[in-house]
Amino acid sequence: MVENYEVEHSNQTDQMLQEVNDALENGMFIQVRRMLEDMESEDIAYLLEASPPKIRLILWQLTYPEKQGEILEELSEDVKDGIMVRMQPEQLAAATEGMDTDDVAYLLRSLPNEVSRDVLAQMDAQDRARVEQALAYPEGTAGGIMNTDVVTIRSDVTVDVVLRYLRMKGELPKATDALYVVDENSHLIGSLSLSTLMTTQLDTKVMDIMEDSHEAIFVNMNDSKVANLFERRNWVSAPVVDKQHQLVGRITIDDVVDIIREDAEHSMMSMAGLDDEEDTFAPAFKSARGRSIWLSVNILAALTAASVLNLFENTLEQMADIAILMTIVPSMGGVAGNQTVALVIRGLALGHIRHSNTRWLVIKEASVGLFNGIFWACIIGSVIIFWKGNWMLGSIIAAAMLTNLVVASIVGVTVPILLKKMKIDPALAGGMALTITTDIVGLSVFLGLATIFLI
Amino acid sequence: MVENYEVEHSNQTDQMLQEVNDALENGMFIQVRRMLEDMESEDIAYLLEASPPKIRLILWQLTYPEKQGEILEELSEDVKDGIMVRMQPEQLAAATEGMDTDDVAYLLRSLPNEVSRDVLAQMDAQDRARVEQALAYPEGTAGGIMNTDVVTIRSDVTVDVVLRYLRMKGELPKATDALYVVDENSHLIGSLSLSTLMTTQLDTKVMDIMEDSHEAIFVNMNDSKVANLFERRNWVSAPVVDKQHQLVGRITIDDVVDIIREDAEHSMMSMAGLDDEEDTFAPAFKSARGRSIWLSVNILAALTAASVLNLFENTLEQMADIAILMTIVPSMGGVAGNQTVALVIRGLALGHIRHSNTRWLVIKEASVGLFNGIFWACIIGSVIIFWKGNWMLGSIIAAAMLTNLVVASIVGVTVPILLKKMKIDPALAGGMALTITTDIVGLSVFLGLATIFLI
């Protein structure tokens, strides 16, 4: 094993993936099948994600059915859908065996209703009941990502009894770092970490060592909030309760990590006008279609800007320099405003921006806009005076720059906050709203002043 | 507790924060101090992050010194720095007591060298030695985020012996989900999860139940790679080894979650031209300065575009419609290209884009550009013919649109990959390089064709 570790890291997985790729390219399918047999499900998932669709289907067909459930769990939405549409209900039902209930529910949610019903019909009664219960919780809530495999204990037993009970059980659910203490009506009254359990004398009672303040997660809590709580509290797992404070399940860090990653990616992808589950290796035509909404909005924005320019046709006709310089101010407004938008979107996602500090933030960003505005107005004014030798033109572009940067900052901070209040995704709509505003304000102020003072 | 849980979630933390805010605004400092005493360190950290600088300093002064270390651990770079510059070395040394070694090292790294030396001098000898050892590992590697508090066991002892040893120890390091099995020379030979330990008969030997295939992390591995591995393997903690495969430490999921969040945020913030550690509530002047690099690059880009336009002064003078319409093509190219850039940056960050599939991806994105180009060329061509009643002008803008969307796609996919190869951050430079290219290509093609066919 030792020689595997080089300073410029190249780990086992990467090597394995390369070997599979090489074997595939040489058409050595039997060898690939044998390699896939030895690989961990999550590595196969990774390999599928990183492969073009054709290769992906070949690989999938070479995968052993017993592993398919675990692999599906690890795949991102788009890739998973592409594979599942080609599977039969009985194949899907077989794949779900041994999967976590929450993950099966998650899989079924992404299938068309009738297929999902067929798959459920193929499952055994107990599994079906559990999955149907999980499906009852809405997507995007704690209930949707929780598992029901919770180990509970009573508060009046001793450590020795608990340990003997666990040895009798023989196995603990994955990522179990604590047992939950409940009363006779299943109300959550505390938790006992495995560490504490292992380091305490055998005759100690659970009630004397349990932590009774475990902040439980309500089953309807938004999953991004759950993720923020996990992150802040450094939890590995946490209990989920219903309105009556009865224990209904348990959320584990592996599902939370996925949400943290997805939420963070969502902002980035949405700001660029992409669906955050877009498969990097989707077929070109499908990708093109997925991206056209954003381009439609943008062409409307661009045509609006053109119709603003149309109002100034006369001015543009009389002075070519105005046309030459008119793109500078909107461009700077767009960049400065988008910096503010990105900052605010992150602040909203992390929950840092609240009612009490919004006013402070607006004033601060407006000041940033003012500082930047003054600075860049001086720079661009001087450059234009030097380049075009026209004092008035330099002053006009400087004034337009100052105005637009201040407007960009104010719009950049207020629009995402307002969108969020209106329950519209700020990452999706914020940047576009900003760009349209800065384009129109930038062009109007520059051309308006030019028309008044130069024509 | 029950009434605390509403369907439209408002959890204890949020309420607590609101109360502290209200008390602060009313100047009730003694009450605030009492509230802070009751709060968890991570909630105080959250409160600090979400407060403007002035409030932040008041809160910090009201915080009990014993909690300050834990709070500092949870803060983001910029906020932490703002607080630490106002602390004395002895205060800092006191705050680090009880903190994880890796976190102390992380804190010290962000201090100026002489201050860091002063703080080390104030620590007790044992702590200092540990921290100095941690400081020896470069930032951004597994060594930089690992802890040295590892519980090791031998393979030839029984479960009963291990359990008695743990009870004697009395406490386990945080997030311990497994004990590591080493030989007499500290070589890692396996791991034993607490779950297995608890559910196995007492007379079983460790060697019979340990997992010997634990994929260890090499101490020099890049921390983003570590995060990817944790995510893929659903680990809670993992052992770190040196070149000789000797166990040197342990990485826990809480530090990994921070890296996942930071890496994902980094892409978003960098693409918008922001430092990813920029404090949302930094003073305006500091923020303005931090954002000026990106604006400098953009003004150069805008001036370059203006100088391209300058070449077509004659054309612009003769036909105002060209000036009116010339911003449409660059704008669409920018949006389409940035969609590709965002997709590729995510693919690179997740490790999905590799040498073997790069060619496929370039062809795919070029095809997306071609499909989009044909579609939007038809749309814009028709709109312009209808609006301006000029067939030639419509055809020219359509041709420019097609060219620019194809170029945008190809540049959007190749530039980030090339930048990554050149070890330049694609998230930081990719979008800007794209925008400059699409502006210049869009303007040149449209104005060039217009000059040839219309003037």
Side-chain angles (χ1 to χ4, degrees):
Chain A
M1 284 192 90
V2 177
E3 57 275 25
N4 244 334
Y5 292 103
E6 302 294 358
V7 176
E8 183 51 49
H9 160 71
S10 86
N11 73 24
Q12 292 114 305
T13 321
D14 283 0
Q15 262 181 27
M16 223 182 331
L17 298 184
Q18 197 52 54
E19 281 165 23
V20 174
N21 257 326
D22 293 347
L24 260 186
E25 267 168 35
N26 298 320
M28 297 151 80
F29 292 148
I30 297 170
Q31 204 186 326
V32 172
R33 195 183 175 84
R34 211 172 311 129
M35 282 166 149
L36 289 174
E37 196 180 352
D38 293 336
M39 279 169 73
E40 303 278 345
S41 306
E42 57 267 28
D43 288 330
I44 301 178
Y46 177 76
L47 184 63
L48 289 168
E49 294 263 3
S51 301
K54 241 169 67 186
I55 308 273
R56 209 177 266 165
L57 285 177
I58 298 175
L59 282 171
W60 186 250
Q61 280 154 22
L62 295 171
T63 312
Y64 283 78
E66 305 86 70
K67 279 189 178 172
Q68 294 189 339
E70 278 181 31
I71 297 172
L72 284 176
E73 272 185 77
E74 300 286 335
L75 292 175
S76 68
E77 201 84 8
D78 258 29
V79 178
K80 194 170 60 187
D81 291 352
I83 286 174
M84 289 203 306
V85 290
R86 289 159 197 270
M87 288 173 79
Q88 299 301 317
E90 47 276 30
Q91 287 179 307
L92 281 166
T96 60
E97 270 171 40
M99 278 173 65
D100 288 342
T101 312
D102 64 324
D103 294 321
V104 178
Y106 187 77
L107 269 187
L108 292 185
R109 279 208 182 92
S110 58
L111 288 172
N113 271 336
E114 65 245 67
V115 183
S116 161
R117 256 199 307 276
D118 286 350
V119 175
L120 276 171
Q122 300 276 344
M123 289 174 148
D124 75 44
Q126 198 192 354
D127 283 350
R128 184 167 51 236
R130 263 198 226 141
V131 172
E132 277 171 345
Q133 199 194 347
L135 280 171
Y137 296 109
E139 227 183 316
T141 64
I145 51 169
M146 76 178 184
N147 276 304
T148 46
D149 54 352
V150 191
V151 183
T152 56
I153 51 175
R154 289 297 169 79
S155 64
D156 53 359
V157 297
T158 61
V159 165
D160 189 37
V161 171
V162 175
L163 285 176
R164 274 190 285 133
Y165 165 65
L166 294 179
R167 274 197 292 275
M168 210 182 65
K169 240 179 111 54
E171 205 181 346
L172 292 179
K174 65 145 201 229
T176 296
D177 66 329
L179 310 176
Y180 300 120
V181 188
V182 292
D183 66 15
E184 61 275 19
N185 296 316
S186 296
H187 292 120
L188 178 70
I189 55 175
S191 67
L192 178 59
S193 73
L194 294 193
S195 305
T196 309
L197 190 60
M198 305 202 100
T199 52
T200 310
Q201 296 310 314
L202 295 176
D203 55 356
T204 319
K205 284 225 165 138
V206 167
M207 64 176 79
D208 297 326
I209 48 170
M210 73 182 193
E211 231 183 295
D212 44 27
S213 68
H214 203 299
E215 192 175 352
I217 291 169
F218 178 57
V219 72
N220 273 350
M221 191 190 273
N222 178 288
D223 62 3
S224 298
K225 285 229 172 188
V226 173
N228 282 343
L229 262 180
F230 262 79
E231 210 179 333
R232 209 168 339 129
R233 301 266 182 255
N234 295 332
W235 287 337
V236 169
S237 74
V240 181
V241 296
D242 63 11
K243 271 190 185 163
Q244 286 73 43
H245 211 68
Q246 283 176 323
L247 183 67
V248 289
R250 186 177 72 104
I251 293 179
T252 51
I253 183 80
D254 54 324
D255 294 318
V256 171
V257 165
D258 291 343
I259 291 168
I260 291 174
R261 161 82 75 185
E262 276 162 25
D263 282 353
E265 267 175 11
H266 169 79
S267 301
M268 174 198 151
M269 300 287 274
S270 299
M271 281 183 73
L274 281 174
D275 181 353
D276 49 337
E277 289 281 355
E278 177 167 337
D279 171 9
T280 315
F281 298 95
F285 190 71
K286 199 180 158 212
S287 294
R289 226 177 31 201
R291 297 183 200 173
S292 56
I293 301 168
W294 204 244
L295 289 166
S296 314
V297 177
N298 190 62
I299 204 153
L300 291 179
L303 285 170
T304 311
S307 56
V308 170
L309 290 174
N310 210 30
L311 300 176
F312 296 101
E313 192 172 356
N314 191 31
T315 310
L316 288 166
E317 235 158 28
Q318 291 186 40
M319 204 171 161
D321 272 346
I322 292 173
I324 292 168
L325 303 177
M326 74 186 182
T327 57
I328 297 173
V329 171
S331 149
M332 289 295 278
V335 169
N338 265 311
Q339 291 179 327
T340 304
V341 169
L343 194 78
V344 172
I345 285 171
R346 187 192 57 163
L348 288 169
L350 294 175
H352 288 168
I353 297 176
R354 292 200 314 272
H355 184 70
S356 58
N357 54 28
T358 301
R359 224 183 106 227
W360 191 93
L361 191 65
V362 173
I363 294 171
K364 174 220 153 185
E365 284 299 322
S367 314
V368 172
L370 190 67
F371 289 142
N372 274 334
I374 292 171
F375 182 73
W376 293 108
C378 295
I379 299 283
I380 195 67
S382 317
V383 169
I384 298 310
I385 291 166
F386 180 78
W387 183 15
K388 295 288 175 188
N390 184 334
W391 277 86
M392 187 49 94
L393 190 58
S395 311
I396 287 171
I397 201 167
M401 182 72 88
L402 176 59
T403 314
N404 205 26
L405 290 193
V406 172
V407 170
S409 295
I410 295 173
V411 171
V413 65
T414 49
V415 167
I417 294 176
L418 288 176
L419 287 172
K420 173 111 184 194
K421 279 219 174 117
M422 291 154 63
K423 310 225 179 270
I424 300 172
D425 181 5
L428 201 61
M432 193 49 92
L434 184 272
T435 307
I436 296 173
T437 315
T438 50
D439 274 5
I440 293 174
V441 171
L443 290 173
S444 316
V445 174
F446 179 57
L447 287 162
L449 290 176
T451 308
I452 297 167
F453 292 104
L454 286 173
I455 304 298
Chain B
M1 283 189 92
V2 178
E3 57 275 26
N4 243 334
Y5 292 103
E6 300 295 357
V7 176
E8 184 50 49
H9 158 72
S10 87
N11 73 22
Q12 293 114 305
T13 320
D14 283 359
Q15 262 182 25
M16 221 180 336
L17 297 186
Q18 198 52 54
E19 281 165 22
V20 173
N21 257 326
D22 294 347
L24 259 188
E25 265 167 36
N26 298 321
M28 297 152 78
F29 292 146
I30 295 168
Q31 203 185 327
V32 172
R33 195 184 177 84
R34 213 173 309 130
M35 284 166 149
L36 290 175
E37 196 178 354
D38 292 336
M39 279 168 74
E40 302 279 344
S41 308
E42 57 266 28
D43 289 329
I44 301 178
Y46 178 75
L47 184 64
L48 289 169
E49 293 264 3
S51 302
K54 240 169 70 188
I55 307 274
R56 209 176 264 165
L57 284 178
I58 298 175
L59 282 170
W60 185 249
Q61 280 155 20
L62 295 171
T63 311
Y64 283 77
E66 305 85 70
K67 280 191 178 172
Q68 294 189 340
E70 279 182 31
I71 298 172
L72 284 176
E73 271 185 80
E74 301 287 334
L75 291 175
S76 68
E77 201 86 5
D78 257 31
V79 178
K80 194 169 60 183
D81 291 352
I83 286 174
M84 289 205 304
V85 291
R86 288 161 199 267
M87 288 174 76
Q88 299 301 316
E90 49 273 27
Q91 286 179 307
L92 281 166
T96 60
E97 269 171 42
M99 276 171 70
D100 288 341
T101 313
D102 64 324
D103 295 321
V104 178
Y106 188 76
L107 269 187
L108 291 186
R109 278 210 183 90
S110 58
L111 290 171
N113 271 336
E114 66 244 61
V115 182
S116 161
R117 253 199 309 275
D118 284 352
V119 175
L120 275 171
Q122 301 275 343
M123 291 174 145
D124 75 44
Q126 199 192 353
D127 283 351
R128 183 166 55 232
R130 263 198 227 139
V131 172
E132 277 172 345
Q133 198 194 347
L135 280 171
Y137 296 109
E139 228 181 316
T141 64
I145 51 169
M146 76 177 183
N147 277 304
T148 45
D149 54 353
V150 190
V151 182
T152 56
I153 51 175
R154 289 297 168 79
S155 64
D156 54 358
V157 298
T158 62
V159 165
D160 189 39
V161 172
V162 175
L163 286 176
R164 274 189 283 132
Y165 164 65
L166 294 180
R167 274 197 291 277
M168 209 182 68
K169 243 180 107 56
E171 204 182 347
L172 291 180
K174 64 143 201 236
T176 296
D177 66 328
L179 310 177
Y180 298 120
V181 187
V182 293
D183 67 13
E184 61 275 20
N185 296 315
S186 296
H187 293 118
L188 179 69
I189 55 175
S191 68
L192 178 59
S193 73
L194 295 193
S195 307
T196 309
L197 189 61
M198 305 203 100
T199 52
T200 311
Q201 296 310 315
L202 294 176
D203 55 355
T204 319
K205 283 223 165 139
V206 167
M207 63 177 80
D208 297 325
I209 48 170
M210 74 180 191
E211 231 182 294
D212 44 27
S213 69
H214 203 300
E215 191 174 354
I217 290 168
F218 179 56
V219 71
N220 273 349
M221 192 189 272
N222 177 287
D223 61 5
S224 299
K225 286 229 169 189
V226 173
N228 284 342
L229 262 180
F230 262 80
E231 208 178 335
R232 209 166 341 128
R233 300 266 183 256
N234 294 333
W235 286 336
V236 169
S237 73
V240 181
V241 297
D242 63 11
K243 271 187 188 166
Q244 285 75 42
H245 211 67
Q246 283 176 324
L247 182 68
V248 290
R250 187 177 71 105
I251 293 179
T252 51
I253 184 77
D254 54 324
D255 293 319
V256 172
V257 165
D258 292 342
I259 290 168
I260 291 174
R261 162 83 74 187
E262 276 163 25
D263 282 353
E265 267 175 11
H266 169 79
S267 300
M268 174 198 152
M269 300 287 274
S270 298
M271 281 183 73
L274 282 173
D275 180 352
D276 50 335
E277 289 281 356
E278 177 167 339
D279 171 10
T280 315
F281 298 95
F285 191 70
K286 200 179 157 213
S287 294
R289 225 175 33 196
R291 297 184 199 173
S292 58
I293 300 170
W294 205 244
L295 290 166
S296 314
V297 177
N298 190 62
I299 204 153
L300 291 178
L303 285 170
T304 311
S307 57
V308 170
L309 290 174
N310 210 32
L311 299 176
F312 296 100
E313 192 171 357
N314 192 31
T315 309
L316 289 166
E317 234 157 31
Q318 291 187 38
M319 203 171 160
D321 273 346
I322 293 173
I324 292 168
L325 302 175
M326 72 184 184
T327 57
I328 297 173
V329 172
S331 149
M332 290 294 277
V335 169
N338 265 312
Q339 291 178 327
T340 305
V341 168
L343 194 77
V344 172
I345 284 171
R346 189 194 55 163
L348 288 170
L350 296 175
H352 289 167
I353 297 175
R354 292 200 314 272
H355 185 69
S356 58
N357 55 28
T358 301
R359 226 185 105 226
W360 191 93
L361 191 64
V362 172
I363 294 170
K364 176 222 153 184
E365 284 299 324
S367 314
V368 172
L370 190 65
F371 290 143
N372 274 335
I374 292 171
F375 181 74
W376 292 109
C378 295
I379 299 280
I380 194 70
S382 317
V383 170
I384 298 310
I385 290 166
F386 180 78
W387 182 15
K388 295 288 175 186
N390 184 334
W391 278 87
M392 188 50 97
L393 190 59
S395 312
I396 287 171
I397 202 168
M401 182 73 87
L402 177 58
T403 315
N404 204 27
L405 289 194
V406 173
V407 170
S409 296
I410 296 173
V411 171
V413 65
T414 49
V415 166
I417 294 176
L418 288 178
L419 287 172
K420 175 108 183 198
K421 278 220 175 114
M422 291 155 62
K423 310 225 178 273
I424 300 172
D425 181 5
L428 200 62
M432 192 48 92
L434 184 273
T435 307
I436 296 173
T437 314
T438 51
D439 274 6
I440 292 173
V441 171
L443 289 174
S444 313
V445 174
F446 179 57
L447 287 163
L449 291 175
T451 307
I452 296 168
F453 293 104
L454 287 172
I455 304 298

